[in-house]
Amino acid sequence: MFRRKTNAYIIFIAILLVIAGCGHKEKETSKTKENRLVYASETEFEGLNPLLEETNLDALLFRGLIRFDENNEPTMDIAESYELSPDKLTYTFKLKEDITFHDGEPLTADDVIFTIESILDDNNASFLKSDFTEVDSVTKIDDYKLELKLKRPFTPMLDKLTAPILPKHAFEGVEMRTAEFNSHPIGAGPYMFDKWDRGNSLTLKAYNNFHGTKPSIEKVIFKFIPDSNVRALQLKSGEVDIALLDPVQVEELEKEKNIKIYDIESADYRGILFNTTIDLWKDVDVRRAFSYAIDRAQIVKGILKGYGTEAYSPLQKHAFNNENVEKYAYDIEKAKELLDGAGWKEEKDGFRYKNDEKLAFTITAPVSDTVRVNMANYAAEGFKKIGADVKVDALDWSAITIEDAEAFMVGWGSPYDADHHTHILFHTDQSVLTSSGYNYGSYSNAKVDELLEKGRFSTDAEERKAIYMEFQAELAKDPAFAYIAYEDAVYGINKNLSGVKERILGHHGSGFLWNVEEWTWNDR
């Protein structure tokens, strides 16, 4: 009898312990959610060297002498301070002495000098070269002090010095273009490289010796999801924590209790790039005609669902914006008049011809960007009203060579100095056929070139403003693009994330992660 009671008692106690253990395990699991952030990336990166490729990783992996603050103004970063000589030709930088790269090596003046010299080295073909061509020399004073001399005063220099600093020692004995660094980078930012599962994701982990605010989130994972619908579905399911949304997805996702929507102003515009190497676009009146034939108001309302504004200038979101330029308000009759004057006559089939050549061309657009494709299709359909037979070719980025396209649904924009994304886009010397610039349409206008040069080198703020306003007026008279709309950057984010600081964003919402080291999870 006693033995039975003892056995029963032991079994009872065992059951209680199992139950308690299960309960304790569940409680532990709820408290130990993985401290990571998953970002739905529209594209995968070709490489991770910030001097050779543009990515949205720079603020995480790297740091420059200067960085942009919450107002997109340049402020100190690796540099502790600087002095500018009275003739505005010499910058003397004092570096912070407690900064290390992710491999533990100190960041010194040698690394800064190496980075600038690498940008200027033609063998590296850095897309940043045009930003540094006014640098005459960079000289080491001591390990944490250097002198940068200019050929002539260059007002945007501080903006350009946001360029990420690379470790000199990582490139000893190797060519930059083929270095292992390009797939396993070493920076001095708040996060360091962990692993790259090509085709799927890239993982960064917190760098605990970061000189600034120590990251709260331990890992940031960039998950490559080119399909916008898949990005939205995975945001809804919780598989990703952040996604840049297409406007049509916002209304549905706003209803989700676990998602917060950020509608952020951006300097990111869309337009149709004219390839001026093609005879059709050599005639400015033809370019102007197609600019008049776009119903921008309907595109903003229907395709962007109101998350944007009509575009007329590359500096529309800048303090130097010229509101008095030709905005190409929707005017079919004006477009027809210009085409008539250019010799394109409408025939019985409803299309226009000149010297037996039909007015026809193709707009190329990246298939993964549904907004661009929709804009291109809407514009092409509208161009029938002026007698043009226009088709849209939606292709994977891997199949697109922009400079070979007859016209391209372009996207650009920058919230920084007026020189940024104007000189590199519209100056004759920046044609992709002859340089590492971004003038894909080989646009060339001597007056535009002159104004862009003046704007770079004027040191008076009011004079610069007048120069860039004149630049916009000239660009409107002789358009390189048919501007369509500025897109807001609409992000869906897990509601339990906090620390986001909004500022005017760049192309494709770039800059949203600028202060990610300050972000935290509220539930873990």
Side-chain angles (χ1 to χ4, degrees):
M1 188 71 176
F2 175 78
R3 187 178 183 86
R4 285 182 193 160
K5 285 183 178 180
T6 302
N7 288 343
Y9 178 76
I10 291 171
I11 293 169
F12 175 70
I13 293 299
I15 291 171
L16 287 178
L17 289 172
V18 170
I19 293 172
C22 290
H24 180 65
K25 188 174 182 181
E26 286 180 9
K27 191 174 181 181
E28 271 192 345
T29 302
S30 67
K31 282 186 174 181
T32 57
K33 287 183 181 178
E34 191 169 359
N35 185 14
R36 68 179 192 175
L37 175 69
V38 183
Y39 180 96
S41 180
E42 297 171 85
T43 57
E44 184 167 8
F45 323 113
E46 291 185 20
L48 303 178
N49 186 327
L51 306 193
L52 308 181
E53 309 285 349
E54 282 194 276
T55 73
N56 56 354
L57 297 173
D58 288 2
L60 286 79
L61 282 170
F62 302 98
R63 280 295 191 258
L65 284 174
I66 305 295
R67 74 178 305 218
F68 294 112
D69 64 14
E70 196 168 347
N71 298 310
N72 290 318
E73 294 293 332
T75 188
M76 298 299 101
D77 195 1
I78 286 171
E80 183 176 273
S81 62
Y82 79 95
E83 293 179 1
L84 178 59
S85 62
D87 62 6
K88 301 186 186 303
L89 289 176
T90 304
Y91 288 84
T92 303
F93 286 96
K94 177 73 173 67
L95 307 185
K96 295 173 184 174
E97 298 187 16
D98 60 344
I99 299 176
T100 58
F101 287 107
H102 298 150
D103 60 358
E105 292 294 318
L107 189 157
T108 70
D110 290 326
D111 301 299
V112 177
I113 294 168
F114 167 78
T115 299
I116 294 174
E117 290 179 345
S118 295
I119 290 170
L120 289 169
D121 186 342
D122 288 335
N123 292 323
N124 297 329
S126 173
F127 69 94
L128 295 173
K129 182 179 177 180
S130 69
D131 291 344
F132 287 84
T133 51
E134 294 307 316
V135 173
D136 187 46
S137 64
V138 194
T139 307
K140 177 180 177 180
I141 298 174
D142 61 38
D143 283 348
Y144 295 99
K145 198 171 186 179
L146 61 98
E147 185 179 82
L148 183 150
K149 287 190 175 182
L150 300 174
K151 299 171 185 175
R152 49 184 166 173
F154 184 50
T155 301
M157 194 69 248
L158 287 182
D159 277 52
K160 310 308 183 185
L161 290 170
T162 58
I165 302 303
L166 305 191
K168 179 181 180 180
H169 64 271
F171 294 92
E172 291 177 355
V174 298
E175 296 292 329
M176 180 165 285
R177 281 260 160 204
T178 57
E180 184 184 2
F181 180 98
N182 302 336
S183 58
H184 292 77
I186 302 166
Y191 286 88
M192 60 190 295
F193 178 85
D194 186 14
K195 59 183 177 181
W196 188 356
D197 180 9
R198 290 186 182 270
N200 295 305
S201 65
L202 175 76
T203 302
L204 310 180
K205 59 184 179 181
Y207 179 50
N208 294 325
N209 290 326
F210 178 58
H211 70 278
T213 301
K214 302 297 187 291
S216 169
I217 297 172
E218 293 170 2
K219 287 187 178 182
V220 178
I221 300 170
F222 288 79
K223 191 174 181 181
F224 308 127
I225 310 174
D227 190 305
S228 61
N229 292 318
V230 176
R231 291 197 299 272
L233 285 171
Q234 292 200 10
L235 177 66
K236 188 175 179 178
S237 68
E239 293 173 76
V240 302
D241 303 305
I242 306 178
L244 183 65
L245 304 176
D246 282 354
V248 294
Q249 299 166 337
V250 177
E251 185 178 357
E252 179 184 351
L253 290 172
E254 279 180 323
K255 301 171 185 175
E256 297 295 318
K257 293 181 180 179
N258 66 319
I259 296 172
K260 181 177 180 180
I261 301 295
Y262 283 84
D263 176 13
I264 306 175
E265 184 180 5
S266 86
D268 188 22
Y269 60 81
R270 298 290 175 268
I272 298 173
L273 176 150
F274 304 116
N275 187 341
T276 60
T277 65
I278 294 170
D279 287 342
L280 174 65
W281 303 125
K282 292 183 188 300
D283 190 331
V284 64
D285 282 340
V286 174
R287 282 180 270 139
R288 294 179 67 229
F290 280 93
S291 295
Y292 278 117
I294 299 173
D295 191 344
R296 294 166 181 80
Q298 283 302 314
I299 287 175
V300 171
K301 180 181 178 181
I303 295 175
L304 295 183
K305 303 300 180 183
Y307 293 105
T309 54
E310 297 177 43
Y312 54 83
S313 161
L315 293 176
Q316 205 166 317
K317 299 299 181 81
H318 194 277
F320 293 171
N321 179 40
N322 187 347
E323 296 182 351
N324 299 315
V325 301
E326 174 58 68
K327 294 183 174 68
Y328 291 97
Y330 186 48
D331 191 337
I332 290 295
E333 294 309 312
K334 180 69 173 176
K336 289 180 177 180
E337 179 185 324
L338 285 166
L339 290 175
D340 285 337
W344 291 94
K345 303 302 180 183
E346 188 171 344
E347 302 292 347
K348 291 181 181 179
D349 64 357
F351 293 111
R352 291 177 180 268
Y353 295 82
K354 181 179 180 180
N355 300 328
D356 296 325
E357 181 185 352
K358 189 179 186 181
L359 182 56
F361 63 92
T362 298
I363 303 172
T364 302
V367 69
S368 60
D369 191 329
T370 54
V371 171
R372 285 203 219 188
V373 173
N374 290 340
M375 284 184 178
N377 282 320
Y378 185 88
E381 186 64 24
F383 291 154
K384 290 180 181 178
K385 295 178 182 178
I386 60 172
D389 184 10
V390 181
K391 295 178 173 57
V392 174
D393 201 1
L395 302 173
D396 187 83
W397 274 113
S398 63
I400 293 174
T401 305
I402 300 175
E403 59 267 32
D404 291 339
E406 294 176 309
F408 182 73
M409 184 55 63
V410 72
W412 282 112
S414 166
Y416 308 126
D417 186 89
D419 178 78
H420 201 263
H421 278 189
T422 54
H423 183 273
I424 203 168
L425 281 182
F426 303 113
H427 197 286
T428 301
D429 290 348
Q430 297 303 305
S431 168
V432 294
L433 302 180
T434 57
S435 77
S436 57
Y438 288 149
N439 183 352
Y440 288 105
S442 294
Y443 176 80
S444 182
N445 177 310
K447 182 66 173 177
V448 165
D449 290 348
E450 178 188 351
L451 291 166
L452 288 173
E453 292 289 329
K454 285 183 176 179
R456 298 192 114 192
F457 305 120
S458 170
T459 58
D460 181 87
E462 287 304 311
E463 182 181 65
R464 287 193 87 214
K465 181 175 182 178
I467 290 168
Y468 280 106
M469 291 183 80
E470 187 180 353
F471 154 74
Q472 292 167 79
E474 181 63 28
L475 193 66
K477 292 175 187 174
D478 181 25
F481 304 161
Y483 293 95
I484 295 177
Y486 278 84
E487 289 188 48
D488 290 353
V490 185
Y491 278 93
I493 305 177
N494 187 304
K495 70 171 185 178
N496 288 313
L497 276 168
S498 62
V500 175
K501 289 182 180 177
E502 296 184 37
R503 66 182 191 183
I504 297 178
L505 299 178
H507 185 44
H508 278 257
S510 65
F512 186 70
L513 299 174
W514 75 277
N515 74 319
V516 72
E517 66 271 19
E518 300 175 22
W519 292 16
T520 59
W521 283 106
N522 299 325
D523 62 341
R524 60 194 77 174

